[in-house]
Amino acid sequence: MGNTVTWHHRTIEDYVAALTRARFAITALRECAPRHDRFDGDMAEFARRRRVPLFLLLTGSRA
């Protein structure tokens, strides 16, 4: 797309700490597993993506 992407790695601990500091309680956590049909038979890449999820979704509510 012609733009530079800057990655900022955060640990799960960082995200949980930020939520709890803001007085949120975690109500759900989802890692969004990859779909087998999206890898055109590349089983090595599919296996890698199952070990290292691309997305982490946290749901919280005010404690």
Side-chain angles (χ1 to χ4, degrees), residues 18-53:
L19 285 170
T20 56
R21 274 194 312 272
R23 301 180 189 262
F24 277 82
I26 295 172
T27 57
L29 182 145
R30 184 162 180 217
E31 291 184 332
C32 301
R35 289 180 34 186
H36 185 267
D37 62 327
R38 301 285 175 124
F39 289 87
D40 295 325
D42 186 345
M43 296 308 293
E45 182 64 15
F46 178 69
R48 186 173 82 84
R49 293 297 179 189
R50 286 181 48 92
R51 285 190 321 275
V52 182

